Amino acid sequence: MSTRHLVGVAAAVIVAAAIAVGSSSDSRPNSQHNCRIIPGDASWPPTSVWQQLNKTVDGKLIATIPIAAVCHTTLFDQSNSLFDQDACNALRDNWNFPETHLPSSSSPMAYPFSNNSCNPWLDPRTPCTLGSHVVYSVNATAVSHLQAAVAFAKQHNIRLVIRNTGHDYLGKSTGAHSLGVWTHHLKSIGLIAAYKGTGYTGAALRVGAGVEAIEAYTFANRHGLVVVGGNCPNVGLAGGFIQGGGHGPLSSRYGLAADQILEAEVITAAGDFITATLENEYSDLLWALRGGGAGTFALLVSVTVKAYPELRVSSASLTVLNDGTNADALYASIGSFIQTTLPSLVDAGGYGCLGRGALRLHDQPRLRAGSHLDHLLLPALQTFKDKGLQYQYASAESTTFLDRYNELQKTASWNVSDYNLGGRLVPRKVAVNDTANLMAAVRYISSRTLMSGVSYNLQKGVSSADGGAVNPKFREALFGISIGTAIDYQDWAATLAAQDQITNELLPQLEKVTPDGAAYLNEADYQATDFQHLFYGEAYPRLLAIKHKYDREGLFYAKTAVGSEEWAEGPDGRLCRNPEYRK
Ligand SMILES: Cc1cc2nc3c(=O)[nH]c(=O)nc-3n(C[C@H](O)[C@H](O)[C@H](O)COP(=O)(O)OP(=O)(O)OC[C@H]3O[C@@H](n4cnc5c(N)ncnc54)[C@H](O)[C@@H]3O)c2cc1C
Ligand SMILES: *[C@@H]1O[C@H](CO)[C@@H](O)[C@H](O)[C@H]1NC(C)=O
Ligand SMILES: *[C@@H]1O[C@H](CO)[C@@H](O)[C@H](O)[C@H]1NC(C)=O
Ligand SMILES: *[C@@H]1O[C@H](CO)[C@@H](O)[C@H](O)[C@H]1NC(C)=O
Ligand SMILES: *[C@@H]1O[C@H](CO)[C@@H](O)[C@H](O)[C@H]1NC(C)=O
Ligand SMILES: *[C@@H]1O[C@H](CO)[C@@H](O)[C@H](O)[C@H]1NC(C)=O
């Protein structure tokens, strides 16, 4: 009761503060484009101007109404006719499914990045506000729509946000007071049976920016092919995933998703629709798009990626039972598994998901490999047996990648919104030669919260000419660890504190054993202060130069993206040039 009351009061204060900042800022000159404009500013376009944009984009402009508006009696300071308790209950029941957020032009799947502005679990009298949702978005289905959005944001000095599926864990696909470009409906996929280019001749797919992994897998399979996509079926293939690196079930064989890019169609910050290839004048931009992180170099329209013949795939699942008394034996066995079994598994082309439970030990770990899987896992089973641990083991094989993938999805659960995230890459050297210390860190973390790992060999499968801009440290990793701390929908302060726990207490455990280490920029802590070094490594200076070359004015901005340090969000969410970087 009292908590609800307090939250209500806090939200009312937010509204008042936003209005106050909005009006006072009108007197502050933004002429240098030092700050983006926000609603309430004198120069914020009136409705009639937004309507003109809407005409330019064939009626595809959407004014954001947060999806949880149905749970609130007040919306944007007015009484809300959308309030509907049944619809709200249905939304609550489905909140954690990605499918709830995918059809939305604005809802971030990682809840904290809405800034708690329209919370479906609070008392309905708590107002629903825009918070960090985009204000408008263009539901793009044509290149001209993308260009119109870019031109409009530039002309009016409005913050631009690119959203595809909204999966991003670091808040990169949403932003306060912004115009969104929503690429989700750019669904074209085309087969190029015989692509010919520098260093590659063979099958390729041209994949539109809105295509999801499962759509690309299914299309490829129809042509007897596979492509490198992610593990989750509806993470985009050609958005944040591929530009950030992108690991998936086939990565130990063919490399990261970014390594597969042969060319990319993009809209530049200048508004030009161009194709960047490995050979042409935009090859530097293509290099950056191949692993340098999304949302900052250009607006991707499509990528052309390598495709490979369909293949037999086997999978295995090993579940070790945690009876509450066998922790020492469990961690020792997992340590030995990481030290001896995982390296041979990934070297054989396997991809190992130490599922939610494998490290926390109460759920189904899933292990995937291309061949000889049972044989590879035998030593691990023996270790578990020797330690007196009970386990369940099952394996299966399919004649195609798609069949095995779909089979595994039946038992997978991809809930998206309940955890704050942090991540760290574990170099093979550490996993193999410093296992005891690594396991001490793992045990510290997993006895406090949720933890998972995904394992691969990114060294061997690499098929790219120059490797792209992927952080070189990614290649040395045996696995990436993700840490999740629970989001508390009733207690925003606790949610923020839970992220701080990742930043200040849990990740440092892993930092100790992985000195001068790295994190995968798509599965990391958005609060990382040295993200330039941590996410991009040696590639950062060249990436920043390319950012400046193609986007001098900083039109494209996303948290922790290359060049984002040159901007800062104010307490009201206004994006301004960081004074330290003003020219
Ligand atoms: C459930 C789940 C499972 C995941 N599994 C994997 C996995 O197996 N392997 C893996 O590597 N990662 C995985 N990830 C992380 C994933 O790669 C990132 O969340 C990634 O950012 C998603 O990209 P998106 O385009 O789908 O999402 P969005 O959130 O829409 O976009 C992410 C970023 O990309 C930018 N962006 C999107 N489209 C474009 C475009 N057309 N042009 C320019 N910039 C663009 C956005 O501005 C934003 O910065 C997973 C994440 C979740 C939530
Ligand atoms: C844009 O135009 C379409 C079609 O006329 C309309 O349905 C939609 O509401 C408009 N969007 C905005 C933000 O006004
Ligand atoms: C996943 O989300 C659904 C829908 O919100 C929920 O019913 C279910 O309990 C969640 N599962 C897990 C494992 O969190
Ligand atoms: C985000 O929330 C905080 C309070 O929790 C508030 O001060 C701030 O103005 C909000 N920002 C936006 C853009 O809504
Ligand atoms: C976006 O456009 C697609 C394709 O025209 C359409 O199916 C979808 O309903 C639109 N979404 C919204 C939220 O307007
Ligand atoms: C582990 O250490 C040994 C001895 O120093 C070394 O030869 C080996 O290469 C190391 N293993 C890895 C994976 O780095």
Side-chain angles (χ1 to χ4, degrees):
M1 252 321 248
S2 66
T3 322
R4 284 178 179 179
H5 181 67
L6 279 177
V7 173
V9 170
V13 172
I14 293 168
V15 172
I19 290 165
V21 172
S23 50
S24 71
S25 62
D26 282 354
S27 57
R28 200 169 60 198
N30 285 332
S31 57
Q32 242 68 64
H33 284 199
N34 278 335
C35 288
R36 300 295 176 222
I37 63 163
I38 70 176
D41 287 355
S43 51
W44 183 261
T47 307
S48 58
V49 173
W50 287 103
Q51 276 165 3
Q52 279 162 27
L53 172 64
N54 198 8
K55 279 213 187 87
T56 316
V57 298
D58 304 317
K60 307 293 282 181
L61 187 70
I62 300 170
T64 298
I65 295 174
I67 59 173
V70 292
C71 301
H72 299 264
T73 53
T74 306
L75 172 64
F76 308 151
D77 246 356
Q78 287 164 12
S79 104
N80 176 22
S81 60
L82 296 174
F83 174 70
D84 177 340
Q85 194 59 59
D86 290 341
C88 177
N89 292 341
L91 180 71
R92 288 177 180 179
D93 289 345
N94 292 300
W95 184 259
N96 296 104
F97 296 134
E99 289 78 5
T100 300
H101 307 266
L102 271 177
S104 160
S105 57
S106 62
S107 183
M109 291 195 201
Y111 178 74
F113 299 106
S114 69
N115 203 27
N116 198 33
S117 70
C118 192
N119 181 332
W121 276 277
L122 297 184
D123 185 295
R125 285 164 300 180
T126 314
C128 169
T129 61
L130 271 181
S132 298
H133 295 88
V134 298
V135 184
Y136 288 95
S137 55
V138 172
N139 182 6
T141 51
V143 167
S144 63
H145 301 161
L146 302 171
Q147 284 175 309
V150 165
F152 190 89
K154 253 196 332 200
Q155 181 191 348
H156 294 281
N157 187 26
I158 291 171
R159 177 175 176 182
L160 186 70
V161 163
I162 306 169
R163 173 192 173 92
N164 178 23
T165 64
H167 269 95
D168 200 84
Y169 283 121
L170 288 91
K172 295 171 73 176
S173 48
T174 190
H177 317 304
S178 63
L179 168 62
V181 189
W182 189 29
T183 60
H184 179 58
H185 290 282
L186 294 167
K187 293 286 190 187
S188 69
I189 313 185
L191 171 70
I192 304 164
Y195 184 94
K196 279 196 190 70
T198 309
Y200 183 76
T201 308
L205 298 192
R206 178 181 292 167
V207 182
V211 171
E212 295 157 41
I214 187 62
E215 294 165 338
Y217 291 159
T218 306
F219 179 92
N221 170 269
R222 263 189 256 131
H223 298 278
L225 298 168
V226 296
V227 290
V228 176
N231 210 359
C232 169
N234 47 33
V235 164
L237 187 100
F241 166 80
I242 202 164
Q243 292 173 77
H247 60 78
L250 295 173
S251 284
S252 299
R253 234 169 218 279
Y254 303 121
L256 288 166
D259 300 336
Q260 316 305 319
I261 300 182
L262 297 162
E263 50 182 77
E265 293 181 309
V266 305
I267 313 286
T268 63
D272 300 324
F273 178 40
I274 59 143
T275 301
T277 72
L278 291 169
E279 301 92 26
N280 72 9
E281 63 193 294
Y282 304 113
S283 61
D284 53 351
L285 179 59
L286 191 72
W287 178 83
L289 294 171
R290 294 167 72 208
T296 193
F297 299 105
L299 170 53
L300 206 67
V301 180
S302 79
V303 285
T304 300
V305 293
K306 297 173 189 173
Y308 308 93
E310 258 291 8
L311 70 169
R312 289 183 86 83
V313 172
S314 44
S315 72
S317 142
L318 170 62
T319 307
V320 187
L321 300 176
N322 176 2
D323 65 11
T325 65
N326 54 4
D328 288 344
L330 273 175
Y331 283 103
S333 306
I334 290 174
S336 123
F337 176 80
I338 286 173
Q339 189 176 36
T340 58
T341 307
L342 263 191
S344 42
L345 184 81
V346 299
D347 288 348
Y351 181 71
C353 300
L354 302 158
R356 242 189 284 246
L359 299 177
R360 206 185 171 204
L361 306 166
H362 72 179
D363 202 319
Q364 287 263 108
R366 290 184 301 280
L367 299 157
R368 296 170 184 187
S371 63
H372 315 307
L373 190 52
D374 295 324
H375 176 72
L376 281 164
L377 289 170
L378 223 55
L381 300 184
Q382 192 57 49
T383 311
F384 289 121
K385 217 177 266 169
D386 292 347
K387 297 255 187 230
L389 296 166
Q390 280 187 283
Y391 63 83
Q392 290 162 358
Y393 180 76
S395 63
E397 194 172 81
S398 299
T399 50
T400 66
F401 166 73
L402 185 66
D403 281 351
R404 193 90 304 264
Y405 181 83
N406 284 336
E407 207 49 51
L408 287 164
Q409 290 311 312
K410 291 180 185 164
T411 52
S413 125
W414 290 110
N415 285 16
V416 289
S417 311
D418 274 348
Y419 294 91
N420 297 293
L421 194 88
R424 188 89 177 171
L425 295 170
V426 177
R428 182 181 292 224
K429 200 167 53 188
V430 171
V432 169
N433 276 346
D434 201 6
T435 320
N437 286 326
L438 174 65
M439 288 311 293
V442 163
R443 187 164 177 172
Y444 181 96
I445 297 162
S446 61
S447 55
R448 282 165 180 78
T449 192
L450 218 57
M451 185 170 179
S452 66
V454 180
S455 178
Y456 30 59
N457 176 351
L458 304 175
Q459 205 98 55
K460 191 164 157 268
V462 171
S463 57
S464 60
D466 71 352
V470 172
N471 186 347
K473 293 233 164 84
F474 208 168
R475 310 282 183 192
E476 294 161 20
L478 178 62
F479 58 97
I481 286 182
S482 295
I483 302 174
T485 55
I487 285 166
D488 185 340
Y489 288 94
Q490 300 292 338
D491 188 342
W492 178 236
T495 296
L496 297 178
Q499 184 71 46
D500 289 343
Q501 189 196 6
I502 289 178
T503 310
N504 301 324
E505 181 197 340
L506 302 177
L507 276 176
Q509 305 301 319
L510 291 171
E511 289 159 12
K512 271 191 296 196
V513 281
T514 56
D516 195 29
Y520 170 32
L521 65 89
N522 276 334
E523 296 175 337
D525 174 13
Y526 76 95
Q527 299 198 112
T529 45
D530 60 343
F531 71 85
Q532 296 90 340
H533 181 65
L534 201 61
F535 296 0
Y536 305 92
E538 292 165 21
Y540 200 79
R542 186 173 168 203
L543 284 169
L544 189 61
I546 293 170
K547 165 73 177 171
H548 289 153
K549 176 176 168 190
Y550 286 94
D551 185 16
R552 184 166 299 280
E553 297 303 320
L555 175 74
F556 300 116
Y557 165 87
K559 274 191 181 54
T560 70
V562 168
S564 59
E565 67 273 21
E566 294 168 6
W567 295 84
E569 270 184 43
D572 59 350
R574 185 195 292 272
L575 192 63
C576 292
R577 277 188 198 281
N578 183 340
E580 284 173 40
Y581 292 89
R582 277 181 201 170
K583 284 164 227 139

